């Protein structure tokens, strides 16, 4: 069974068939899904869905693109949500320098606040890092007691090795299946399987041959197949190892 460690099922892209998709996952070989929030509303929505489906778990956090105009008690709200038994991480948090709307200093402030919260609560974090590799790495180094995953990893082999030494995991989306994928396959080849996880980032970035379609967890097998090809392993081995990695990081038993 596969563990899709990152899927946004609160997205309006699933409004017409959300229950149909989620209910179908165990029969499609997907045994676990983690749904991270992007803001306060979506974090609550992830928790509500996790209460409905036993194989769905949640993370609560504020994404860098949503760091503007937060209420004064935003961090307290995240902390309160993190007390829910199905919340397994603080996320999705981090830095995004691709979009210019949110000042970098504010992004860093919100990122650091949530890293400190994760340390306080002894929870892992889910990091979003887009075109901010140097600053993202520098901030996680400020919190040596915090562990987590760089989701949709897009950094260098060198940074990947540094993160592995620091005890972090890397997760990969459908982009690794694209014909023009260069960096990610090199990273996957260079890091140990025990630190690799798979994800869809649904509804985004559907893998080949589904590129251009709405993505959901039923496509996560393609990431396992691609990693198996790169690593010279069977798909079954990759499924088993990546699922164990995710369960261990997020503290999911059974």
């Amino acid at each position: 069974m596969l563990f899709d460690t990152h899927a946004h099922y609160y997205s309006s892209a699933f409004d017409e068939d959300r229950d149909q998709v989620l209910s179908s996952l165990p029969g499609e070989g997907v045994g676990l899904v983690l749904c991270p929030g992007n803001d306060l509303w979506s974090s609550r929505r992830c928790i509500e869905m996790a209460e409905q489906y036993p194989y769905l778990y949640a993370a609560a956090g504020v994404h860098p693109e949503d760091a503007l105009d937060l209420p004064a008690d935003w961090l307290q709200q995240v902390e309160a949500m993190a007390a829910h038994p199905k919340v397994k991480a603080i996320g999705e948090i981090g830095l995004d320098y691709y979009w210019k709307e949110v000042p970098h200093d504010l992004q860093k402030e919100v990122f650091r606040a949530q890293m400190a919260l994760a340390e306080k609560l002894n929870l892992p974090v889910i990091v979003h890092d887009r075109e901010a590799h140097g600053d993202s790495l520098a901030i996680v180094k400020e919190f040596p007691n915090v562990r987590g995953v760089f989701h949709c990893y897009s950094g260098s082999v060198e940074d990947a090795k540094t993160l592995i030494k620091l005890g972090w995991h890397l997760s990969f989306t459908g982009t690794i299946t694209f014909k023009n994928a260069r960096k990610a396959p090199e990273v996957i080849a260079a890091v140990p399987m025990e630190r690799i996880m798979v994800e869809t980032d649904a509804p985004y970035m559907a893998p080949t041959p589904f590129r251009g379609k709405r993505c959901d967890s039923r496509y996560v097998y393609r990431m396992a197949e691609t990693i198996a090809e790169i690593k010279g392993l069977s798909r079954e081995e990759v499924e088993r190892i990546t699922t164990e990695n995710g369960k261990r990081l997020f503290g999911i038993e059974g």
Side-chain angles (χ1 to χ4, degrees):
M1 298 291 277
L2 285 153
F3 185 176
D4 182 357
T5 59
H6 199 108
H8 299 284
Y9 280 110
Y10 55 82
S11 168
S12 60
F14 294 104
D15 282 354
E16 293 186 1
D17 61 350
R18 183 175 290 106
D19 179 68
Q20 180 181 338
V21 172
L22 287 170
S23 298
S24 74
L25 296 182
E28 298 284 348
V30 181
L32 293 167
V33 179
L34 194 140
C35 180
N38 271 15
D39 56 18
L40 300 173
W41 172 84
S42 57
S43 295
R44 290 192 188 92
R45 187 73 184 96
C46 290
I47 295 169
E48 291 171 1
M49 288 186 290
E51 290 174 337
Q52 289 182 263
Y53 304 91
Y55 43 87
L56 184 67
Y57 291 85
V62 174
H63 188 285
E65 292 178 45
D66 295 286
L68 286 172
D69 302 319
L70 291 170
D73 67 343
W74 72 271
L75 192 62
Q76 288 83 359
Q77 290 190 49
V78 174
E79 182 170 1
M81 285 186 273
H84 192 284
K86 294 211 76 176
V87 172
K88 296 299 182 180
I90 302 298
E92 169 181 0
I93 67 176
L95 301 175
D96 192 315
Y97 292 173
Y98 178 80
W99 302 107
K100 309 300 182 186
E101 288 80 0
V102 184
H104 294 183
D105 285 348
L106 177 59
Q107 291 189 38
K108 292 176 185 177
E109 177 186 333
V110 171
F111 187 14
R112 286 190 173 100
Q114 293 178 101
M115 288 288 289
L117 177 62
E119 183 172 32
K120 173 184 175 182
L121 301 179
N122 193 30
L123 283 173
V125 298
I126 300 167
V127 172
H128 171 101
D129 165 26
R130 190 174 186 187
E131 298 189 7
H133 307 316
D135 285 350
S136 295
L137 185 57
I139 288 176
V140 302
K141 285 181 174 179
E142 294 173 14
F143 297 88
N145 296 321
V146 178
R147 298 291 181 269
V149 56
F150 271 60
H151 105 92
C152 190
Y153 184 76
S154 60
S156 66
V157 171
E158 293 73 20
D159 285 349
K161 290 180 177 178
T162 298
L163 285 166
I164 297 302
K165 288 179 182 177
L166 293 172
W168 284 68
H169 290 68
L170 310 176
S171 186
F172 298 91
T173 65
T175 58
I176 66 172
T177 70
F178 298 170
K179 285 185 177 180
N180 62 352
R182 295 289 182 270
K183 193 187 298 182
E186 293 177 0
V187 171
I188 291 166
V191 300
M193 270 305 306
E194 289 68 27
R195 297 296 179 81
I196 292 175
M197 302 192 303
V198 291
E199 60 166 294
T200 56
D201 202 14
Y204 314 108
M205 293 186 290
T208 304
F210 310 105
R211 196 170 181 180
K213 295 184 179 182
R214 183 194 69 179
C215 189
D216 66 55
S217 299
R218 292 173 291 187
Y219 298 158
V220 75
Y221 76 91
R222 285 289 296 123
M223 291 51 133
E225 285 181 342
T226 304
I227 292 170
E229 292 169 8
I230 294 168
K231 288 292 207 181
L233 300 170
S234 69
R235 172 180 152 183
E236 290 74 21
E237 286 177 291
V238 172
E239 287 189 19
R240 176 183 59 80
I241 296 169
T242 56
T243 296
E244 288 175 356
N245 294 344
K247 290 169 69 174
R248 186 174 60 249
L249 176 64
F250 295 119
I252 297 172
E253 299 178 356

Coordinates of all heavy atoms in Angstrom, one line a residue, residues 8 10 22 28 52 56 86 95 105 132 140 142 152 159-160 168 180 188 206 211 217 223 226 233 254:
H8 N -3.9 18.0 -1.3 CA -4.7 19.0 -0.8 C -6.2 18.8 -1.2 O -6.7 19.3 -2.2 CB -4.3 20.4 -1.4 CG -2.9 20.8 -1.0 ND1 -2.6 21.3 0.2 CD2 -1.7 20.7 -1.7 CE1 -1.3 21.5 0.3 NE2 -0.7 21.2 -0.9
Y10 N -8.9 19.6 0.2 CA -9.9 20.7 0.4 C -10.0 21.6 -0.8 O -10.9 22.4 -0.9 CB -9.4 21.6 1.6 CG -8.0 22.2 1.4 CD1 -7.8 23.3 0.7 CD2 -6.9 21.5 2.0 CE1 -6.5 23.7 0.5 CE2 -5.7 22.0 1.9 CZ -5.4 23.1 1.1 OH -4.1 23.6 0.9
L22 N -11.9 10.0 -2.5 CA -11.3 9.6 -1.2 C -11.7 8.2 -0.8 O -10.9 7.4 -0.4 CB -11.6 10.6 -0.1 CG -10.9 11.9 -0.2 CD1 -11.5 12.9 0.8 CD2 -9.4 11.8 0.1
E28 N -7.6 1.3 -4.6 CA -6.6 1.6 -5.6 C -5.2 1.5 -5.1 O -4.2 1.9 -5.8 CB -6.8 3.1 -6.1 CG -8.2 3.3 -6.7 CD -8.2 2.8 -8.2 OE1 -7.2 2.4 -8.7 OE2 -9.4 2.7 -8.7
Q52 N -13.4 12.0 8.9 CA -14.3 11.2 8.1 C -13.7 9.9 7.6 O -14.4 8.9 7.5 CB -14.8 12.0 7.0 CG -15.8 13.1 7.3 CD -16.2 13.8 6.0 OE1 -15.7 14.8 5.6 NE2 -17.2 13.2 5.4
L56 N -7.0 9.0 6.3 CA -6.6 10.3 6.0 C -6.1 11.1 7.3 O -6.8 11.0 8.3 CB -7.7 11.1 5.4 CG -7.5 12.5 4.9 CD1 -6.5 12.5 3.7 CD2 -8.8 13.2 4.5
K86 N -5.5 13.6 15.0 CA -5.2 13.2 13.6 C -4.3 14.3 12.9 O -3.9 14.1 11.7 CB -6.5 13.0 12.8 CG -7.3 11.8 13.3 CD -8.1 11.2 12.1 CE -7.2 10.3 11.2 NZ -8.0 9.6 10.2
L95 N 9.2 28.9 2.6 CA 9.5 30.1 1.9 C 9.2 29.9 0.4 O 9.4 28.9 -0.2 CB 10.9 30.5 2.0 CG 11.5 30.7 3.4 CD1 13.0 30.9 3.4 CD2 10.8 31.9 4.1
D105 N 10.9 39.0 4.3 CA 11.1 39.1 5.8 C 9.9 38.6 6.5 O 10.0 37.9 7.6 CB 11.4 40.6 6.2 CG 12.8 41.0 5.9 OD1 13.6 40.1 5.5 OD2 13.1 42.2 6.0
A132 N 14.0 29.4 -2.9 CA 14.5 30.0 -1.7 C 15.3 29.0 -0.9 O 15.3 29.0 0.3 CB 13.3 30.4 -0.8
V140 N 16.1 26.1 8.7 CA 15.9 24.8 9.4 C 17.1 24.5 10.2 O 17.0 23.8 11.3 CB 15.6 23.7 8.4 CG1 14.3 24.0 7.6 CG2 16.7 23.4 7.5
E142 N 18.6 26.6 12.1 CA 18.4 27.3 13.3 C 17.6 26.5 14.3 O 17.6 26.8 15.5 CB 17.7 28.6 13.1 CG 18.4 29.6 12.2 CD 17.5 30.8 11.9 OE1 16.5 31.0 12.5 OE2 17.9 31.6 11.0
C152 N 8.0 18.1 -2.4 CA 8.3 18.5 -3.8 C 9.7 19.0 -3.9 O 9.9 20.1 -4.5 CB 7.3 19.5 -4.3 SG 7.3 19.8 -6.0
D159 N 22.6 20.2 -1.4 CA 21.6 20.6 -0.3 C 20.9 19.4 0.2 O 20.6 19.3 1.4 CB 20.6 21.7 -0.8 CG 21.3 23.0 -0.9 OD1 22.4 23.2 -0.4 OD2 20.6 23.9 -1.5
A160 N 20.5 18.5 -0.7 CA 19.9 17.2 -0.3 C 20.7 16.4 0.7 O 20.2 16.0 1.7 CB 19.5 16.4 -1.5
W168 N 16.6 15.0 8.0 CA 15.4 15.4 7.2 C 15.1 14.3 6.2 O 15.9 13.5 5.8 CB 15.5 16.8 6.6 CG 15.4 17.8 7.6 CD1 16.2 18.1 8.7 CD2 14.3 18.7 7.8 NE1 15.8 19.2 9.4 CE2 14.6 19.6 8.9 CE3 13.1 19.0 7.0 CZ2 13.7 20.6 9.3 CZ3 12.3 20.0 7.4 CH2 12.5 20.8 8.6
N180 N 11.7 16.0 -19.1 CA 12.7 17.0 -18.9 C 13.3 17.1 -17.5 O 14.0 17.9 -17.1 CB 12.2 18.4 -19.3 CG 11.1 18.9 -18.4 OD1 10.5 18.1 -17.6 ND2 10.7 20.2 -18.6
I188 N 17.5 11.8 -6.2 CA 17.0 10.5 -5.8 C 18.1 9.4 -5.8 O 18.2 8.6 -4.9 CB 15.8 10.0 -6.7 CG1 14.6 11.0 -6.4 CG2 15.4 8.6 -6.5 CD1 13.5 10.9 -7.5
A206 N 0.1 16.4 -12.0 CA -0.1 15.0 -12.3 C 1.1 14.5 -13.1 O 1.7 15.1 -14.0 CB -1.4 14.9 -13.2
R211 N -0.3 13.9 -17.3 CA 0.0 15.3 -17.2 C -1.1 16.2 -17.9 O -1.6 15.8 -19.0 CB 1.4 15.5 -17.9 CG 2.0 16.9 -17.6 CD 3.4 17.0 -18.1 NE 4.0 18.2 -17.7 CZ 5.3 18.6 -18.1 NH1 6.0 17.8 -18.7 NH2 5.7 19.8 -17.7
S217 N -4.5 11.1 -5.5 CA -3.6 10.1 -4.9 C -3.6 8.8 -5.7 O -2.6 8.0 -5.5 CB -4.1 9.8 -3.5 OG -4.0 10.9 -2.7
M223 N 5.1 7.8 -9.1 CA 6.3 8.2 -8.4 C 7.1 7.0 -7.9 O 8.3 7.0 -8.0 CB 5.9 9.2 -7.3 CG 5.4 10.5 -7.7 SD 4.0 10.5 -8.9 CE 2.9 11.6 -8.1
T226 N 8.9 5.4 -10.8 CA 10.0 6.1 -11.3 C 11.2 6.0 -10.3 O 12.3 5.8 -10.8 CB 9.6 7.6 -11.5 OG1 8.5 7.7 -12.4 CG2 10.7 8.4 -12.0
L233 N 15.3 -0.8 -7.9 CA 14.5 -1.6 -7.0 C 13.2 -2.0 -7.6 O 12.8 -1.5 -8.7 CB 14.3 -0.8 -5.7 CG 15.5 -0.3 -4.9 CD1 15.0 0.6 -3.8 CD2 16.2 -1.5 -4.3
G254 N 0.4 1.2 13.0 CA -0.5 0.3 12.3 C -0.1 0.0 10.9 O 0.8 0.6 10.3

